[in-house]
Amino acid sequence: MAATPPTGFAIPRAPSPSGSRPRHSLNTSFSFGPQPLLSSLADPNTSGASNHKSLFDPSRSVLQTSPIRSPRMSRRARTTAGRHPLANDTTDVFQDDADDEGDEEGSEWGAVERMRLWRHDALMQHLYDSAAFWGDKILSWTNDPNDAFWLAQTFFLKHEYSRAERLLTRPFPTLPPRPPAATNGTFQPPFAPASNAKGKAREMPPPPLGGGALGDSLAPGVQRLPVGPGEMVDVAIQCDEGVSRLVDMSVACRYLAAQCQMRQGKWNDALEMLGETNPFRDGAEVGLEPDGGIKIEASMCNLRGLLMLKLNRGDQAKHCFMEALALDVRCYEAFEHLVDGEMMTPEEEWQFVQALTYHKQIPSDAEFVRLMYLSRLRKYGHSDEQALVRRQLVQEYNLGDNPDVLYSFADALYTQLRWADCYAVTSRILGLTDVHKNTMPLHIACMYHLKHLNPKLFLLAHELVDREPENAISWYAVGIWYMCIDKYQEARTYFSKTSLMDPRFAPAWIAFAHAFSFEGEHEHAVTAYSTCARLYTGSHLPLMFVGMEHIILMNRQQAEEALLAANHMCEADPLLLNERGVMAFMNEDFETAAKLFTEAIDLAQVVQTSQTAWTNTFLNLGTALRRLNRLPEAKAAYQRVLEIDYRNVEALSYMGVTLHLMGKVEAAIVKYHEALSIQPINGYVLELLDMALEASADMGPFGPKGPPGGEENWEKQMREHRDKGKGKQIAQDMEPFDDEDTSM
């Protein structure tokens, strides 16, 4: 039996870009700013306010009929015999099993209902021109705000943002069309089927145009509203109530209009459309229903944060993103902007993400979402907890081969400076997904650090530019390649292009500053690093690099200030402890320097980092201990470097100096010769070798300790030795005469 089309403000079950689930995130009682509008909507005495909840839902319609199910052929009616195998696929993502009961219902609907299905099908199949074409005809017939909303969505997907914005700011009726004065006292909506008609007779053709102006009366009860610069003024004169713009009728429409304005670069207008603060903050909290979708309020906070970033208001942007996550933890975009944009310090990130109300908002999936978010945080200070999180995701949720979980592992390896291990993991990720936005910078950086992979980086950069020239990461790879071959000016050119394409791409800003530093332009490098510190207020790395550049420039006060500021943001970075130790060494505070170098090495061992990366820290520790005259400990530090790299010239030279100071001149000369065998023209080592040889000559054959037993004892032993030698010589001289006498 055919179902009767419902009347009233029914939610259509037709497929839509938002999915087939109820849109709880849109039909909640949220309104929009500014506050006077919010108050007017909440006033029960306001005209039409009693129906504002239903009117604000863009999935609803002001028409009294709505399509219920797709008019496609039933699965049971389809024949597959003799067809191509590809044509035998019975999967229909636009239709559920219940549609099989209404095989003949398609003939019962009017033109508007059928074209709405065409529009939604076109959207689902990415035929945006088709969706816009049929949606435009639907809107011309119905003048329905719901149809206008979906047409604006189509324009947005076609990147026609100006058309979408214009449509959303036009006046539309907010109430169902009033029944006209009819002889029988009843009202038939546009293209409504007659109660006693069947088949095509049930469809009512569009009413003919009158003899007056075009569109004077398209359908019964649907009146054309004025358009133009003074449209709302004309509407106010002609209509007392029931007319408003889409942005004043629906939160979703206002959000979409702000999206269009942002895409057009009208950031201030978009911010005015949304409001600089959340207008719902002081209102009653609306609970989330299970599987109710992401709250539109959280999406608006996220968009507000993006606009704040465009307007260079970073602190306010951070609070907007934090508010979006607090409202709905499923708003991943806000989390990504907070973490990838490094707006919070590592400890602030950890505390904030831990404190989110997962169990209150999503009771069934709270633990999973919490673990996924924790795995994306930076890996300073919580390495053990991060390892446990990754283990849970792999063992309990079977995500061992998921790109995002693998990325978390690769990020931990990169933080530990384990380039080869990180490259192995990133290669696996790119094998699964081809291009992974978060993984590509790590993959490229590992190829830069591992010199034998530089040719592969050249090929990868060419491939990315050919395949995705509009992606900022492609040109970043080109810049890194030029860094590999020491062409820093060309590298900066491509890093600048990357930053123009994606102003929030942090690796490009850091690499741009590195190019200045490697070229010896330390003043320019300080400026570039300072810009990074301003853009990424939660990252300690730019401040640490600023301190390193000031150390090179011998600006001790500025260097110390920058390093202390970086340490205040992150205390768990071994590299930062090493730089602070260098600063203390320059200030001749050798005790503090040795302590900081020891802490850096201990912390590096705790996180199981690569020992090769910390050879300079061992050298620094040995030098500080040598200056403190703790020579055995200094010797042990240099020996540790030689165990890691036996051809390290600095370690061999410093070992020779330490042995020289310990009085082991011969051993020191051996170390100097080993260093010169690797680097024959090292002037410092040659000078040290000359000093050692002169000292060895001055000390004589016995060195600084002198002969064993003292000088007197040595002279006595030498006299006795000479006397014995003379006696033996006389005896040898007498032996031939004795033989001669015997023979006689």
Side-chain angles (χ1 to χ4, degrees):
M1 179 177 178
T4 303
T7 59
F9 294 86
I11 301 178
R13 287 178 53 203
S16 67
S18 60
S20 59
R21 57 172 172 76
R23 298 181 56 86
H24 300 297
S25 59
L26 294 178
N27 63 9
T28 54
S29 59
F30 287 127
S31 301
F32 41 83
Q35 191 61 35
L37 179 61
L38 198 65
S39 302
S40 65
L41 292 174
D43 185 4
N45 298 323
T46 304
S47 176
S50 60
N51 293 326
H52 79 274
K53 290 185 179 181
S54 58
L55 290 175
F56 288 171
D57 184 3
S59 296
R60 298 177 183 268
S61 172
V62 299
L63 293 179
Q64 294 192 0
T65 58
S66 299
I68 296 302
R69 53 174 61 98
S70 173
R72 294 180 183 81
M73 184 187 303
S74 170
R75 294 189 183 96
R76 293 175 297 183
R78 295 172 182 172
T79 58
T80 60
R83 302 175 66 187
H84 190 277
L86 293 178
N88 292 334
D89 184 12
T90 58
T91 303
D92 189 352
V93 298
F94 308 107
Q95 175 175 316
D96 52 26
D97 295 334
D99 294 344
D100 295 343
E101 301 176 0
D103 298 343
E104 304 297 332
E105 289 187 24
S107 61
E108 301 175 358
W109 296 333
V112 173
E113 283 77 6
R114 291 196 299 271
M115 289 187 183
R116 280 180 178 149
L117 291 176
W118 300 352
R119 177 191 66 196
H120 287 289
D121 283 353
L123 284 174
M124 292 297 296
Q125 299 173 39
H126 309 290
L127 303 174
Y128 300 130
D129 288 331
S130 298
F133 181 81
W134 299 118
D136 177 70
K137 307 308 175 289
I138 296 169
L139 181 62
S140 297
W141 283 339
T142 65
N143 203 32
D144 188 336
N146 182 69
D147 295 323
F149 171 81
W150 287 111
L151 181 58
Q153 286 277 19
T154 305
F155 289 153
F156 183 86
L157 294 173
K158 290 180 63 181
H159 308 292
E160 297 179 356
Y161 307 117
S162 180
R163 292 184 69 184
E165 180 190 1
R166 183 69 188 89
L167 191 59
L168 293 167
T169 54
R170 269 182 47 193
F172 281 92
T174 61
L175 297 175
R178 293 188 180 90
T183 56
N184 56 2
T186 60
F187 167 69
Q188 292 291 336
F191 313 112
S195 59
N196 57 354
K198 295 182 179 180
K200 293 186 177 181
R202 294 175 60 89
E203 298 184 4
M204 294 179 58
L209 297 177
L214 179 63
D216 287 342
S217 178
L218 178 67
V222 179
Q223 181 182 5
R224 284 288 176 236
L225 299 174
V227 296
E231 57 187 21
M232 292 308 297
V233 177
D234 297 336
V235 168
I237 295 174
Q238 297 181 17
C239 306
D240 295 335
E241 61 180 17
V243 174
S244 181
R245 301 181 304 171
L246 291 183
V247 294
D248 297 330
M249 297 164 57
S250 168
V251 180
C253 293
R254 182 168 288 259
Y255 174 69
L256 181 58
Q259 289 271 21
C260 294
Q261 290 171 337
M262 188 184 73
R263 297 302 195 284
Q264 298 176 77
K266 300 190 290 187
W267 302 326
N268 287 304
D269 294 343
L271 190 59
E272 183 179 357
M273 179 71 69
L274 290 177
E276 293 200 6
T277 59
N278 182 10
F280 316 106
R281 186 179 301 167
D282 299 329
E285 182 180 358
V286 178
L288 287 174
E289 300 180 24
D291 297 327
I294 298 175
K295 293 175 67 173
I296 190 68
E297 182 184 0
S299 300
M300 293 175 71
C301 288
N302 176 68
L303 180 58
R304 189 179 295 110
L306 290 176
L307 293 170
M308 293 295 184
L309 286 180
K310 297 287 187 182
L311 297 171
N312 294 323
R313 295 158 67 175
D315 290 339
Q316 292 174 280
K318 180 179 78 170
H319 291 299
C320 290
F321 293 135
M322 293 174 66
E323 185 175 10
L325 270 179
L327 288 169
D328 197 331
V329 296
R330 293 164 294 187
C331 188
Y332 173 75
E333 280 80 358
F335 173 83
E336 188 174 33
H337 287 303
L338 279 174
V339 175
D340 292 350
E342 299 186 2
M343 295 183 173
M344 309 169 71
T345 64
E347 193 60 33
E348 287 176 349
E349 284 181 356
W350 185 267
Q351 294 178 0
F352 174 72
V353 173
Q354 287 277 41
L356 290 174
T357 56
Y358 303 97
H359 292 279
K360 181 179 180 182
Q361 298 184 34
I362 43 174
S364 302
D365 305 308
E367 185 63 16
F368 171 71
V369 175
R370 187 184 72 87
L371 292 175
M372 287 301 303
Y373 282 178
L374 288 177
S375 69
R376 284 294 310 277
L377 301 184
R378 280 173 284 176
K379 309 303 186 290
Y380 296 107
H382 296 280
S383 57
D384 294 339
E385 294 91 334
Q386 291 275 1
L388 180 60
V389 165
R390 291 192 295 272
R391 187 179 299 112
Q392 286 184 265
L393 289 172
V394 171
Q395 296 178 354
E396 299 179 14
Y397 295 96
N398 196 25
L399 292 177
D401 218 19
N402 180 264
D404 289 329
V405 177
L406 288 174
Y407 165 74
S408 175
F409 184 41
D411 190 26
L413 294 173
Y414 187 85
T415 303
Q416 298 167 8
L417 309 183
R418 296 166 61 181
W419 318 121
D421 296 336
C422 181
Y423 177 77
V425 179
T426 56
S427 299
R428 173 61 179 171
I429 297 172
L430 298 181
L432 292 170
T433 64
D434 194 20
V435 175
H436 192 257
K437 181 181 68 173
N438 297 318
T439 301
M440 285 303 298
L442 297 185
H443 189 70
I444 293 171
C446 292
M447 298 176 80
Y448 169 80
H449 289 291
L450 301 172
K451 298 304 179 183
H452 66 281
L453 294 177
N454 288 168
K456 284 190 175 182
L457 176 58
F458 175 80
L459 297 176
L460 176 64
H462 270 281
E463 181 185 355
L464 290 174
V465 170
D466 292 340
R467 189 173 56 190
E468 298 189 12
E470 301 300 324
N471 194 341
I473 193 68
S474 303
W475 302 104
Y476 171 74
V478 176
I480 293 295
W481 158 248
Y482 278 108
M483 289 270 285
C484 292
I485 58 177
D486 299 335
K487 292 186 177 181
Y488 302 115
Q489 185 175 358
E490 291 84 351
R492 287 196 297 271
T493 300
Y494 287 104
F495 293 145
S496 298
K497 182 174 183 177
T498 303
S499 299
L500 289 174
M501 296 176 68
D502 185 0
R504 298 296 299 176
F505 189 65
W509 287 99
I510 295 293
F512 180 78
H514 283 347
F516 279 119
S517 179
F518 294 159
E519 202 172 18
E521 299 287 344
H522 300 295
E523 295 286 353
H524 291 57
V526 169
T527 303
Y529 287 131
S530 300
T531 303
C532 295
R534 180 176 57 83
L535 292 175
Y536 308 101
T537 55
S539 176
H540 71 287
L541 294 178
L543 289 173
M544 183 182 68
F545 294 140
V546 168
M548 294 168 67
E549 295 299 315
H550 280 303
I551 289 176
I552 297 174
L553 295 171
M554 299 303 292
N555 299 328
R556 298 186 180 182
Q557 183 177 357
Q558 293 90 328
E560 189 168 4
E561 290 176 356
L563 293 176
L564 287 176
N567 185 72
H568 180 72
M569 299 173 65
C570 179
E571 299 178 352
D573 189 352
L575 181 58
L576 179 56
L577 291 173
N578 176 77
E579 298 305 318
R580 290 181 60 206
V582 172
M583 191 69 242
F585 187 91
M586 292 178 63
N587 293 330
E588 298 185 357
D589 187 359
F590 305 121
E591 192 69 39
T592 302
K595 179 181 178 182
L596 290 171
F597 292 140
T598 304
E599 290 179 3
I601 293 172
D602 293 341
L603 183 58
Q605 291 175 349
V606 166
V607 298
Q608 299 178 359
T609 186
S610 173
Q611 294 295 313
T612 306
W614 299 103
T615 54
N616 289 334
T617 305
F618 280 108
L619 288 172
N620 294 339
L621 175 61
T623 304
L625 294 172
R626 178 166 53 84
R627 295 297 295 271
L628 290 170
N629 203 30
R630 295 159 60 179
L631 300 180
E633 298 177 53
K635 178 184 175 183
Y638 295 138
Q639 185 61 39
R640 185 69 183 92
V641 178
L642 293 175
E643 291 174 0
I644 298 172
D645 181 11
Y646 69 94
R647 292 176 58 85
N648 191 295
V649 176
E650 290 81 3
L652 290 170
S653 304
Y654 293 149
M655 178 68 82
V657 173
T658 305
L659 293 172
H660 196 161
L661 293 174
M662 296 174 69
K664 301 178 181 179
V665 182
E666 296 298 331
I669 293 173
V670 172
K671 293 299 179 183
Y672 293 147
H673 279 294
E674 290 180 7
L676 289 173
S677 67
I678 301 170
Q679 199 174 86
I681 58 174
N682 191 316
Y684 296 104
V685 180
L686 287 171
E687 186 176 354
L688 289 170
L689 178 60
D690 290 340
M691 294 173 60
L693 291 173
E694 291 177 2
S696 178
D698 294 339
M699 288 184 296
F702 297 105
K705 295 182 179 180
E711 293 289 344
E712 296 180 358
N713 185 37
W714 175 254
E715 292 178 359
K716 180 180 179 181
Q717 290 180 4
M718 290 301 294
R719 284 195 301 269
E720 293 176 355
H721 182 69
R722 284 195 298 270
D723 293 341
K724 290 180 180 180
K726 290 180 180 180
K728 289 182 179 180
Q729 185 66 34
I730 293 172
Q732 291 176 359
D733 293 340
M734 293 297 292
E735 286 178 358
F737 296 102
D738 294 341
D739 295 339
E740 188 175 350
D741 294 341
T742 304
S743 63
M744 290 176 64

